[in-house]
Amino acid sequence: MAKAMAAVLCFAFHVLVLFLFVGGAARPLYPLHSRFLEGTRQPLQTTRPYNIAHRGSNGEFPEETLPAYKRAIEEGADFIETDILSSKDGVLICFHDVTLDETTDVGKYRKFANRKRTYEVQGVNITGFFTVDFTLKELQSLRVKQRFPYRDQQYNGKFSIITFEDFIEIALQAPRVVGIYPEIKNPVFINQRVKWGDGKRFEDKFVEILKKYGYQGSYLSKNWLKQPVFIQSFAPTSIIHISNLTDLPKILLIDDTTIPTQDTNQTYWEITSDSYFEYIKNYVVGIGPWKDTVVPAVNNYILTPTDLVTRAHAHNLQVHPYTFRNEYNFIHFNFHQDPYEEFDYWINTIGVDGLFTDFTGSLHHFKNWTSNLPSDDSDEQRASDLLQKITLMVNSYRSR
């Protein structure tokens, strides 16, 4: 009976393939939406440090754009990371700066010239065009550009700002399980400037959207593995507030230790103490420190590492440092301008649990080339890669 059933299934599979190649001319062979592939997609890898695509693959495309995130998924990201702000009309968007000046073309529009404002943000007066003074429709009429002049400029002016929900859809439509890593950005400023009609605050709207798309469960739970997410913030009060709304894992971001937090006026030196770790571990599963906080540097040479990672691990906290970039001006001289040497140092000497990188493909290649996974896992990866290549070849042929 079992053999007969297997034969029937095999026959059905070949008929389906034949239909897709011959009879299904109207429909290209694309991977189906994740909601229809539940349980069949390649799962998130959890045995090696996480490859976190910082604002997408923004070493190649302008940051926080749809192609930057799609490219990061193609390159092997475990998580795609984004910063969440709000528009004037309360729609959550993917954007890093509270001002639009540096990474959009807002300055060229005469109709927006009177929108320039000066606001206090984290104790500093900043002048510019703020996201909170533009509706979503107005924000999406702008075009984004590459932040760094030494990166590829050919995509400037081609892409628009996307919403938090757009971002989530990109992850859910991936051909394998890809996590999301959204940051509640500048919550104190956003809550001062944007008011929601139902009396809720920025953090509430943020969690509502995650719940709307089915994100739930504690770290490594069955539900979490199905749709992985880390919630991150520099603001301890935001972390604590959302802990009352969801059990999804949270990461407390750590800036330079001399800088005060935006909400509690503590220095990050204080919140990296053992006593604070003992307190905050009730709310977070890890920390995301600036990498020079972990390993100080002077004149572009690294010094003796601090004990931050060791102490965080002693409190059962993960460590996901930021940001790893391939350009020579970001790689300390100790690594001979080689990003692979830098990855090796941070993963195998410092022992971090994840890395934020602008160049997802580089970290993915490093992890594959240095992997100690069993051959079965390698075979599975090769099979998955081959299937994706076949899909691309078929689509290319059918589009002619």
Side-chain angles (χ1 to χ4, degrees):
M1 184 67 169
K3 288 183 179 179
M5 181 62 72
V8 170
L9 290 172
C10 183
F11 175 76
F13 173 78
H14 283 89
V15 169
L16 176 60
V17 171
L18 184 63
F19 169 76
L20 289 171
F21 277 86
V22 179
R27 183 188 185 281
L29 180 60
Y30 290 126
L32 297 174
H33 191 292
S34 65
R35 290 167 182 159
F36 301 104
L37 283 176
E38 229 169 79
T40 65
R41 295 190 301 164
Q42 183 181 342
L44 178 75
Q45 73 80 26
T46 57
T47 60
R48 294 176 287 172
Y50 292 125
N51 184 342
I52 305 161
H54 182 242
R55 308 180 205 169
S57 184
N58 82 90
E60 299 178 61
F61 290 94
E63 63 188 47
E64 318 252 26
T65 59
L66 185 147
Y69 291 121
K70 288 191 171 182
R71 179 63 173 152
I73 292 171
E74 291 171 1
E75 291 179 327
D78 298 313
F79 288 84
I80 51 175
E81 188 264 357
T82 190
D83 305 277
I84 304 301
L85 291 171
S86 178
S87 65
K88 180 180 180 178
D89 46 348
V91 180
L92 302 195
I93 60 169
C94 297
F95 203 75
H96 181 269
D97 302 351
V98 290
T99 57
L100 299 160
D101 305 61
E102 191 166 0
T103 57
T104 77
D105 59 357
V106 65
K108 79 175 190 180
Y109 295 90
R110 292 181 62 185
K111 63 181 179 180
F112 296 141
N114 63 350
R115 300 287 180 91
K116 186 170 281 193
R117 302 283 188 274
T118 298
Y119 293 135
E120 182 181 314
V121 183
Q122 293 183 235
V124 178
N125 286 332
I126 296 177
T127 299
F129 297 95
F130 287 79
T131 67
V132 294
D133 291 322
F134 291 75
T135 65
L136 176 65
K137 183 177 179 180
E138 290 171 333
L139 288 171
Q140 294 193 318
S141 72
L142 306 176
R143 290 297 173 264
V144 298
K145 58 185 178 181
Q146 176 59 252
R147 179 182 296 272
F148 298 111
Y150 44 79
R151 290 183 177 171
D152 194 348
Q153 304 295 306
Q154 69 170 307
Y155 302 109
N156 291 350
K158 294 187 177 181
F159 310 122
S160 61
I161 294 171
I162 65 173
T163 68
F164 187 18
E165 296 194 51
D166 293 333
F167 168 80
I168 289 173
E169 286 285 356
I170 294 168
L172 293 180
Q173 292 173 14
R176 56 186 171 82
V177 175
V178 174
I180 61 172
Y181 208 128
E183 178 185 345
I184 303 170
K185 194 77 177 178
N186 293 99
V188 173
F189 175 76
I190 295 298
N191 281 318
Q192 288 172 342
R193 298 292 169 184
V194 181
K195 303 300 178 184
W196 284 270
D198 51 11
K200 293 185 178 179
R201 53 193 270 185
F202 181 26
E203 294 90 340
D204 300 324
K205 306 305 288 188
F206 176 94
V207 173
E208 279 180 8
I209 290 175
L210 289 175
K211 288 182 176 180
K212 174 182 174 180
Y213 285 87
Y215 287 92
Q216 58 181 316
S218 57
Y219 181 58
L220 294 181
S221 67
K222 181 179 179 181
N223 285 329
W224 185 87
L225 288 170
K226 183 174 149 185
Q227 291 184 201
V229 57
F230 285 110
I231 299 170
Q232 55 173 333
S233 180
F234 282 101
T237 56
S238 283
I239 291 286
I240 293 169
H241 179 81
I242 63 173
S243 293
N244 296 317
L245 305 175
T246 178
D247 60 349
L248 290 169
K250 301 151 197 80
I251 300 289
L252 177 62
L253 298 173
I254 308 292
D255 209 330
D256 183 290
T257 53
T258 62
I259 295 175
T261 63
Q262 60 187 274
D263 53 344
T264 63
N265 202 35
Q266 296 168 284
T267 65
Y268 285 102
W269 177 264
E270 293 176 73
I271 66 174
T272 56
S273 66
D274 282 314
S275 59
Y276 195 81
F277 280 169
E278 190 63 29
Y279 163 72
I280 202 65
K281 73 179 186 181
N282 297 306
Y283 303 99
V284 302
V285 299
I287 59 173
W290 178 43
K291 65 180 184 177
D292 281 13
T293 301
V294 179
V295 183
V298 173
N299 296 325
N300 208 32
Y301 283 96
I302 60 171
L303 305 178
T304 302
T306 67
D307 63 353
L308 183 59
V309 173
T310 301
R311 290 191 298 103
H313 284 168
H315 290 277
N316 200 31
L317 294 170
Q318 293 191 38
V319 181
H320 302 169
Y322 65 89
T323 303
F324 293 84
R325 298 179 167 111
N326 284 12
E327 289 94 356
Y328 74 92
N329 47 324
F330 292 113
I331 299 177
H332 297 118
F333 292 144
N334 311 65
F335 305 120
H336 312 104
Q337 308 297 287
D338 184 348
Y340 295 106
E341 272 199 46
E342 186 179 32
F343 293 146
D344 180 66
Y345 174 79
W346 281 87
I347 292 173
N348 297 313
T349 299
I350 301 301
V352 298
D353 308 288
L355 300 90
F356 289 82
T357 176
D358 287 2
F359 294 88
T360 317
S362 295
L363 179 54
H364 179 70
H365 290 318
F366 173 81
K367 293 205 303 177
N368 276 353
W369 293 336
T370 59
S371 173
N372 292 318
L373 290 176
S375 59
D376 286 348
D377 288 340
S378 298
D379 290 343
E380 180 183 342
Q381 180 63 50
R382 281 194 292 270
S384 175
D385 291 344
L386 179 59
L387 181 58
Q388 290 190 41
K389 288 179 181 178
I390 291 172
T391 301
L392 291 172
M393 289 171 62
V394 171
N395 286 339
S396 175
Y397 172 77
R398 297 176 71 91
S399 64
R400 291 176 185 174

